[in-house]
Amino acid sequence: MKLENPWRRNPWFESVAVAQERARRRLPKPVYGALVAGSERGQSMTANQDAFADLGWAPHVVGQHAQRDLGTTVFGHAIPLPVLISPTGVQAVHPDGEVAVARAAAARGTIMGLSNFASRSVEEVTATGATTFFQMYWTGDRDTMVERMQRAHDAGAQGLIATLDWSFSIGRDWGSPEIPENVDLRTMLRLAPQVAARPRWAWQFGRTGSFPDLTAPNLAPPGGTAPTFFGAYYEWMTTPPPTWDDVAWMREQWHQISGTPFVLKGVCRVDDAMRAVDAGVAGISVSNHGGNNLDGTPAAIRMLKPIADRVGDQVDVVMDGGVRRGSDVVKALALGAKAVLIGRAYLWGLAANGQAGVENVLDVLSGGIDSALRGLAVGSVAELQPEHLIVPDGFHVRTG
């Protein structure tokens, strides 16, 4: 007998903001709190979104193109939409987690970034057919890192994303949500009041007969057991931070194993972007880790143009942080990005409606991009330039 969802309603939503609100109503408070995250004041997290509103348009009234081309080529892959899936850890907002996200990415033809802190294995994710870029932190010894690169390549990963910026979402002014070490029966009973307040979320997991998985299978040693999320985080925190020579070593190891693109995520400074080019990367992501690293770091969109102007002719420059609308994507492309990565936006879609919710988010962004291009009388994202924007004095921030 097939169980029907007793809370089912029209699952479609018209904006990322609506997806976020549905996620807020559906998820237990600690789970939703972990998604909004942000460190200390949440200053950088908020700035990432607010900065887009400081950029204006000067739309044409005549001369629009009947058809607009939203496609681009980034990291050697032609994609129909300049929006990539940013790697995010343990996606316990939905039972299918990263597999659902990967299926959505495959359905929309874009690149899936998979965190090494993910709750689903790289083998499960690549089996969806999604073009998968495996993400790694600098964690563990060098032999362990090579083992993990080899596993990702053997599974079919077509690129590697190195995330090296320090993330410490602690000391939040509004308090940090409780995240248990393991989700077992005892934990579920202890958290029962919060879970009971969100029955739809509990019902989803109840159908699968399992609890949310807070382990990191991609960090399991060969033939060994996957560490918990906190075990993986401890390994990361206790690994000596990398040098630029280590970055070059990591890039070289991946090149020997796979020969596919190596991308450095978390770049905030022009001089770091230049060092990344010297280390041989194929691309960089201008990012402040969604506001989860050093609070007070400028909004990613403010740092984008100075970095793209300096190295955009040598490597592919993408950006992540604060993207909630298709018009945000167009603004980033006009300032030099080849594409953007989204994180919270697709997680809210996943929480709201699983794979279909992630596809819904991608479709919302696609529609917004197309609408902005039409208003600007631009026929292709490749034609976007800073001149299409009204940029206030002092908007761009050059660091380094």
Side-chain angles (χ1 to χ4, degrees), residues 42-60:
Q43 176 180 340
S44 293
M45 178 187 67
T46 301
N48 276 343
Q49 298 178 63
D50 291 348
F52 282 104
D54 290 340
L55 296 169
W57 307 108
H60 289 284

Side-chain angles (χ1 to χ4, degrees), residues 267-282:
V267 177
C268 294
R269 297 171 56 104
V270 172
D271 53 358
D272 278 357
M274 295 166 62
R275 293 294 297 270
V277 172
D278 292 341
V281 306

Side-chain angles (χ1 to χ4, degrees), residues 45-135:
M45 178 187 67
T46 301
N48 276 343
Q49 298 178 63
D50 291 348
F52 282 104
D54 290 340
L55 296 169
W57 307 108
H60 289 284
V61 70
V62 174
Q64 289 85 359
H65 296 254
Q67 300 292 327
R68 278 77 56 192
D69 183 4
L70 278 56
T72 190
T73 298
V74 61
F75 308 141
H77 293 269
I79 53 177
L81 179 71
V83 179
L84 316 179
I85 298 296
S86 185
T88 63
V90 186
Q91 295 176 10
V93 301
H94 189 276
D96 294 335
E98 294 85 359
V99 169
V101 177
R103 288 172 179 155
R108 294 300 180 265
T110 194
I111 294 172
M112 167 73 184
L114 177 69
S115 173
N116 64 357
F117 284 2
S119 59
R120 303 298 286 267
S121 72
V122 63
E123 290 83 6
E124 290 177 283
V125 168
T126 55
T128 65
T131 299
T132 303
F133 277 40
F134 186 67
Q135 179 259 8

Side-chain angles (χ1 to χ4, degrees), residues 330-396:
V330 173
K331 290 172 181 178
L333 269 57
L335 294 180
K338 295 292 292 290
V340 304
L341 296 99
I342 57 170
R344 291 183 179 94
Y346 78 77
L347 289 174
W348 291 324
L350 178 65
N353 195 30
Q355 175 186 339
V358 180
E359 293 176 13
N360 194 157
V361 165
L362 292 171
D363 291 345
V364 164
L365 296 177
S366 177
I369 295 169
D370 187 66
S371 179
L373 293 183
R374 177 167 182 154
L376 293 170
V378 171
S380 166
V381 295
E383 300 173 28
L384 290 166
Q385 298 292 329
E387 290 73 23
H388 291 114
L389 303 177
I390 300 172
V391 183
D393 292 340
F395 179 84
H396 301 301

Side-chain angles (χ1 to χ4, degrees), residues 226-241:
T228 65
F229 174 81
F230 287 102
Y233 198 81
Y234 177 79
E235 181 188 71
W236 178 32
M237 289 191 296
T238 56
T239 301

